[in-house]
């Protein structure tokens, strides 16, 4: 029997399954796999930001970021805005 509270808890676990705790290690292979959309990969926040920057660098959109990095579109848009704001002006 499923309790009402369990459903929300399981959805929250699935949402956070793609975001690992920050551990100070950057995994370039995981970043590449995620950015190219080869397969689903769990990333740390720093790795996620790098992957988003790579996606944007090749003409990707926040929609592409959301799909490849398994995140909400609103969060992908915010991440894209952060990444593009960090770019130095040319």
């Amino acid at each position: 029997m499923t309790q009402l509270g369990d459903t929300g808890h399981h959805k929250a676990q699935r949402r956070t399954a793609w975001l690992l705790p920050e551990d100070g290690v950057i995994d370039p292979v995981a970043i590449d796999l995620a950015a190219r959309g080869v397969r689903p990969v769990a990333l740390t926040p720093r790795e996620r930001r790098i992957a988003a920057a790579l996606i944007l660098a090749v003409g990707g959109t926040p929609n592409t970021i959301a799909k490849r990095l398994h995140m909400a579109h609103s969060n992908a848009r915010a991440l894209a805005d952060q990444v593009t704001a960090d770019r130095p002006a040319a």
Side-chain angles (χ1 to χ4, degrees):
M1 177 183 233
T2 304
Q3 295 179 352
L4 188 57
D6 290 344
T7 305
H9 177 70
H10 291 304
K11 285 182 183 178
Q13 282 181 325
R14 282 193 301 262
R15 280 193 303 264
T16 59
W18 299 111
L19 188 60
L20 298 173
E22 196 63 68
D23 59 4
V25 176
I26 302 293
D27 184 347
V29 174
I31 293 168
D32 182 60
L33 290 172
R36 290 188 300 128
V38 173
R39 67 178 175 86
V41 181
L43 301 171
T44 65
R46 186 174 296 146
E47 291 168 338
R48 183 180 266 193
R49 188 178 180 99
I50 295 167
L54 291 173
I55 292 168
L56 292 171
V58 296
T61 64
N63 187 46
T64 308
I65 293 170
K67 288 179 181 178
R68 292 185 183 175
L69 304 185
H70 305 280
M71 57 192 310
H73 290 282
S74 58
N75 292 344
R77 165 56 66 195
L79 183 57
D81 290 344
Q82 289 173 2
V83 168
T84 55
D86 289 345
R87 285 188 195 164

